[in-house]
Amino acid sequence: MSNFYDQYFRQRLTARASLYAAAEATASAYLDGKPRLRGKYKVTSAERDADFWSSQFLGELPSEAWRSGLMVLALARYFAQERVAVVDLLARIATDSPGVLCNAVRHAGLVLCQHSPRRTDLDQIAGVHPEVAELCKVLDVFELAHRERLTAVEHAMSALRALTPFDLLIHASLHVFEHMLPHSLAPSPRSDGAASADEVTWHAINDILLWKLATAPESTLKLHEADIGRSLGEHLAPLLSPSSEAQSVVAHEMRVAFGALLEAQIELNEFVSRSADAFSYDDGIRFVRNGTTLEIEELDPVARAAWLRDSRKLARLHEYWFYRALDEFAGSEIAMRTIGRPENHEANRLAYIRAMRTRLQLVDVYGVADTVTTDAGDPVDLFQALLSLELMSAFFLRDFIGEYVKHLQDSADWVTALEKLIVGGLGQTLENRLPLTWSDREAKISRITGWTVSPQTPQGSPRMAARILDFWTSDWISLAAQVRNSQAGLRPELFERPILKFGQCLVQLPWLVGMQNNSTAAINNLRRLGARRGEAREETQRIEARLGKALEARGFRVMLNWQPPTETHGTAGEVDLICARDGIAFVIEVKSTFVRKSQRDAWLHATTTLRRAGQQLQRKVAAVLEACVQGSELANCLGLELSGGAPPIHGWIVDTSIERDHERFSGFLKLSLEELLIALRDDRGLLGDPNGIFSDAEVKCASPGSRAADALSLYPSGFTSDRLIAVIETEAVWTQAEIDAATSSCRS
């Protein structure tokens, strides 16, 4: 059977593509997972690896061909697999282009996979290639550092192997109450965009809990009252009221052991994110070996700053949507009503506005409908689900965290403060105010049914309450099976689904639910964990339609989902959105994903989704241009006059995620959908916290209308397509930079 990639390469040469273009097209097919089928059978990734790296055309390529970005990505894919070896080819590439080989090794993430046989490939050619030899020494330094940190984590885990997952949750909660409160009472994003110490700790706790799920007996994941009582008696009671010195010593040793494990896990995670991931995916730096240590040398400060700048943008967008919600709330009927009990009105009003904020973002940016589905396929009212989580957060923040902080300020001793919190809850309302709470599912449904009151269900709906719980619930029995069996699938982070299900028992962590970013939780619950929901395709279509309406409001003629003629551009694919105004056409490729937390995730997004989007846009812009030049119905629908020749066409990749903002893929600018919507609405002033609501540690609920004067319009001389292009290309939404100079040249 002939080799697919050799055939593909020859076909491109026959079509008069250059040798380099044919090689890149073939590498792109490999990276995109082609061929998917061989006859009726699915082609595995291992079979594709074997076919591609045994292709004859690879031996015909000059060394210059390997210097393109696509060929480096293909080579990175080689280093990421383990079944195929082409050492002779590597030696040839290393002779002429050693930097290519080094970059491919970096992007393959080989720095954390030193057991891979591809590392042996490098050792084989290191003797005659000095740069490869130096790379191997750098990898050796990383390997030693990684192994030391893994060993430290494994050693720390050994002291806690006998603990159940619920035991571990008790110790995690105690650690948070002792070390993270009260300074985290009302967290706000760091001004420099970097992860806060709290976020770092949360991620480490999440990793520790996943380890425990992978190793714990299944019986420990079905909690009964007796199990809970035993755990509290062994791990919490000795702290509050020790009955024996031996019990106190054991409980204290367990807390110390948990602290040591958490510290080791944080050190490992920070090594991966700040060193290994930086080595692999940050092109703005390089690691230079100095004996047995590595030093970072900055190559491109602008590129290195991009990741942190995107994080700062996310923080500003969070504030932007709150101001949008504040305006909507001011115009609603509920703004004139008392929400809940009078003493809780302010907290409930803030929860209501926050739920409106997240709904606005989900609807306008992610195309989410008023009703979404649980994993079981049951419909859930979106706003009620969002409001329920916000009310949970408000409750825990007020009655748990706030009360604890008051006691801590009075006593200056965290154990005394915790004891007062617990006793106060029992004395006032017989509430469980332990560092973690639990209830059976039916009791929880009954408790939150009141939050589902609506005109249709004035007494609330137990059925909707049950579905809301399911929407925010992570089933730890299922999750444990997935982790133990290394099943494919996305694992929920603690904050994405913060209700933890142990059989019929539901566990919540007040310190988590009270302080987490519920907006990100909702987005990633739907767009990351729920990316394969039945309505996900409809959501993408709604994103396109809503963007189309925003453009129409600015005078654009818009066409959605145009299909190029099959006889001329049958392979171009459906065009998401085309619009035109002032004689300029825009071809927009829409991508909808989720909020990422690592440079690795952002790099993967860039080299897969965004890379393919650029290639798709290249074909689609060509199809639109040809259709317009031919005087087809398309040009008439867009209102384009063709007497002066072909119209200028701008292609944009518009993505719901912020990562890799304002980079170019196949020559086309990538920008966030939120930036484009803000540019079209001309309300960038909301990005600057005009009321100072977020300037203090605590987020306040300011009165609508008290806002300072909005920033000057982006379009002081009126809206035009030229001006919009200048606004986008100079990132004027995010800065106060002057854009007039750019306007005159944006047609070129």
Side-chain angles (χ1 to χ4, degrees):
M1 186 178 297
S2 58
N3 184 291
F4 170 84
Y5 299 107
D6 278 325
Q7 283 187 330
Y8 198 93
F9 177 76
R10 301 299 172 196
Q11 288 169 359
R12 295 301 173 276
L13 286 180
T14 302
R16 297 185 178 179
S18 68
L19 184 72
Y20 297 155
E24 287 192 340
T26 309
S28 183
Y30 169 56
L31 292 168
D32 292 341
K34 299 176 182 178
R36 290 178 172 80
L37 295 174
R38 184 172 289 139
K40 296 181 180 180
Y41 301 99
K42 281 189 175 181
V43 180
T44 67
S45 58
E47 289 171 335
R48 280 192 289 271
D49 292 333
D51 286 351
F52 184 80
W53 295 108
S54 64
S55 302
Q56 292 182 359
F57 86 92
L58 294 179
E60 302 170 9
L61 296 180
S63 58
E64 292 81 4
W66 290 98
R67 294 172 187 166
S68 78
L70 275 171
M71 298 306 290
V72 172
L73 285 178
L75 202 54
R77 179 72 60 86
Y78 166 80
F79 282 110
Q81 57 83 42
E82 298 189 355
R83 297 192 178 186
V84 185
V86 288
V87 179
D88 291 343
L89 177 62
L90 299 184
R92 186 161 63 85
I93 297 172
T95 299
D96 298 320
S97 305
V100 165
L101 199 68
C102 294
N103 283 335
V105 169
R106 288 175 50 236
H107 294 330
L110 199 61
V111 67
L112 294 180
C113 300
Q114 305 267 0
H115 62 279
S116 169
R118 303 289 71 78
R119 178 60 203 275
T120 305
D121 296 351
L122 295 175
D123 291 336
Q124 289 184 43
I125 62 176
V128 292
H129 297 289
E131 287 196 42
V132 176
E134 180 59 25
L135 173 64
C136 289
K137 292 176 182 177
V138 169
L139 293 177
D140 287 340
V141 175
F142 269 107
E143 180 183 16
L144 178 60
H146 190 210
R147 190 166 61 243
E148 288 175 347
R149 287 160 177 79
L150 286 174
T151 300
V153 169
E154 291 168 1
H155 176 73
M157 285 175 173
S158 63
L160 301 172
R161 291 195 185 279
L163 297 188
T164 69
F166 190 77
D167 296 339
L168 207 58
L169 285 174
I170 292 175
H171 284 286
S173 300
L174 289 174
H175 179 90
V176 170
F177 272 76
E178 180 180 7
H179 297 287
M180 296 174 64
L181 296 177
H183 65 83
S184 303
L185 177 58
S188 58
R190 282 177 49 139
S191 60
D192 62 0
S196 68
D198 292 351
E199 290 177 275
V200 170
T201 302
W202 285 11
H203 292 319
I205 291 174
N206 196 80
D207 291 335
I208 291 170
L209 292 172
L210 287 176
W211 157 71
K212 180 54 68 175
L213 284 179
T215 57
E218 185 174 342
S219 60
T220 63
L221 299 172
K222 297 178 181 178
L223 281 179
H224 302 286
E225 286 295 329
D227 303 316
I228 295 172
R230 179 204 59 76
S231 286
L232 295 175
E234 291 181 8
H235 302 283
L236 179 61
L239 174 70
L240 302 175
S241 53
S243 59
S244 71
E245 185 176 346
Q247 270 192 327
S248 297
V249 169
V250 171
H252 175 73
E253 288 175 348
M254 286 294 101
R255 288 199 305 279
V256 171
F258 178 82
L261 174 56
L262 185 61
E263 184 179 343
Q265 187 68 56
I266 289 173
E267 175 63 26
L268 174 61
N269 290 358
E270 291 290 272
F271 168 78
V272 171
S273 64
R274 294 190 176 187
S275 297
D277 279 0
F279 173 80
S280 299
Y281 310 113
D282 188 344
D283 291 328
I285 61 173
R286 70 173 177 178
F287 283 73
V288 179
R289 187 177 61 88
N290 184 6
T292 58
T293 62
L294 297 175
E295 298 174 355
I296 293 178
E297 181 180 300
E298 192 169 71
L299 302 176
D300 186 345
V302 175
R304 195 179 187 196
W307 172 255
L308 292 181
R309 186 160 186 256
D310 288 346
S311 297
R312 289 195 296 271
K313 288 181 181 179
L314 282 176
R316 294 177 68 185
L317 285 170
H318 193 68
E319 298 169 5
Y320 168 86
W321 289 106
F322 186 88
Y323 275 102
R324 287 276 306 273
L326 194 62
D327 285 345
E328 184 173 300
F329 179 81
S332 68
E333 176 269 339
I334 199 169
M336 309 304 296
R337 289 166 34 197
T338 299
I339 304 176
R341 296 196 302 269
E343 63 269 24
N344 297 334
H345 169 67
E346 282 301 317
N348 291 341
R349 185 172 74 142
L350 182 57
Y352 200 94
I353 294 171
R354 283 172 162 164
M356 293 179 75
R357 167 206 63 195
T358 305
R359 182 185 62 179
L360 270 172
Q361 189 175 17
L362 285 170
V363 170
D364 284 7
V365 179
Y366 294 92
V368 177
D370 291 336
T371 299
V372 293
T373 57
T374 65
D375 286 347
D378 296 322
V380 180
D381 182 275
L382 175 65
F383 183 73
Q384 287 186 336
L386 298 174
L387 180 59
S388 295
L389 184 60
E390 292 292 354
L391 289 172
M392 288 180 201
S393 295
F395 167 69
F396 285 131
L397 190 60
R398 180 186 65 244
D399 289 2
F400 280 69
I401 301 172
E403 287 298 311
Y404 171 77
V405 169
K406 290 178 185 177
H407 296 316
L408 188 60
Q409 290 170 342
D410 292 338
S411 63
D413 175 70
W414 79 276
V415 176
T416 303
L418 184 59
E419 188 173 10
K420 288 182 178 179
L421 173 69
I422 296 169
V423 172
L426 293 173
Q428 295 175 18
T429 57
L430 295 179
E431 283 184 349
N432 171 356
R433 291 192 185 173
L434 297 177
L436 75 173
T437 68
W438 64 90
S439 65
D440 66 71
R441 189 169 182 273
E442 293 306 316
K444 191 70 173 177
I445 290 171
S446 175
R447 197 170 301 150
I448 71 169
T449 295
W451 296 349
T452 65
V453 170
S454 68
Q456 296 74 29
T457 57
Q459 303 302 316
S461 168
R463 176 179 295 182
M464 184 57 66
R467 292 174 178 176
I468 288 171
L469 280 182
D470 291 343
F471 182 75
W472 293 115
T473 293
S474 174
D475 186 337
W476 274 30
I477 294 177
S478 299
L479 181 58
Q482 178 189 332
V483 175
R484 278 196 302 269
N485 300 327
S486 300
Q487 295 174 355
L490 295 171
R491 301 167 185 173
E493 302 277 348
L494 276 175
F495 75 95
E496 290 172 340
R497 294 186 178 176
I499 300 175
L500 314 178
K501 182 180 179 184
F502 290 76
Q504 289 301 307
C505 183
L506 302 179
V507 176
Q508 285 186 284
L509 308 174
W511 51 271
L512 176 73
V513 182
M515 299 189 298
Q516 70 176 18
N517 183 326
N518 289 334
S519 177
T520 300
I523 292 169
N524 280 4
N525 190 350
L526 290 165
R527 296 305 307 173
R528 193 179 81 89
L529 300 176
R532 296 189 178 182
R533 290 170 298 117
E535 62 262 32
R537 173 58 185 165
E538 296 175 4
E539 288 169 1
T540 301
Q541 292 173 338
R542 281 194 289 270
I543 294 170
E544 297 163 2
R546 283 185 170 275
L547 178 56
K549 288 188 179 300
L551 289 160
E552 286 177 344
R554 281 296 187 178
F556 284 90
R557 300 278 287 273
V558 176
M559 179 170 286
L560 293 172
N561 310 124
W562 178 72
Q563 185 68 53
T566 55
E567 61 273 13
T568 55
H569 289 86
T571 61
E574 183 180 88
V575 182
D576 293 339
L577 192 151
I578 314 170
C579 62
R581 179 190 152 141
D582 306 322
I584 301 175
F586 297 81
V587 179
I588 295 176
E589 180 75 11
V590 176
K591 295 298 177 186
S592 178
T593 52
F594 56 90
V595 180
R596 291 166 181 80
K597 69 174 187 179
S598 71
Q599 284 183 298
R600 177 181 181 275
D601 288 344
W603 183 85
L604 289 172
H605 182 52
T607 56
T608 53
T609 302
L610 298 180
R611 175 182 61 81
R612 288 195 292 265
Q615 294 171 340
Q616 292 165 347
L617 203 48
Q618 203 167 35
R619 296 191 294 269
K620 293 174 183 181
V621 166
V624 170
L625 181 60
E626 184 169 335
C628 288
V629 169
Q630 291 175 348
S632 69
E633 183 182 349
L634 177 63
N636 294 330
C637 290
L638 295 173
L640 291 171
E641 294 290 339
L642 303 177
S643 57
I649 297 181
H650 287 260
W652 284 343
I653 302 167
V654 176
D655 186 13
T656 57
S657 69
I658 204 82
E659 289 84 19
R660 299 295 180 132
D661 232 15
H662 283 268
E663 293 186 20
R664 291 187 180 270
F665 298 86
S666 297
F668 298 106
L669 186 71
K670 181 269 176 190
L671 65 148
S672 72
L673 175 58
E674 286 164 289
E675 177 181 348
L676 182 54
L677 291 176
I678 292 168
L680 292 171
R681 287 174 55 89
D682 196 15
D683 59 356
R684 67 170 173 173
L686 300 184
L687 286 168
D689 190 16
N691 280 1
I693 293 175
F694 297 89
S695 59
D696 296 331
E698 182 177 356
V699 178
K700 303 183 292 291
C701 185
S703 301
S706 63
R707 185 183 312 144
D710 288 343
L712 293 176
S713 171
L714 292 165
Y715 314 102
S717 300
F719 184 94
T720 65
S721 291
D722 281 343
R723 192 73 173 181
L724 176 63
I725 294 169
V727 163
I728 295 301
E729 292 192 346
T730 61
E731 302 185 65
V733 162
W734 304 108
T735 68
Q736 301 299 318
E738 178 59 50
I739 62 170
D740 287 324
T743 303
S744 61
S745 61
C746 65
R747 284 181 181 268
S748 58

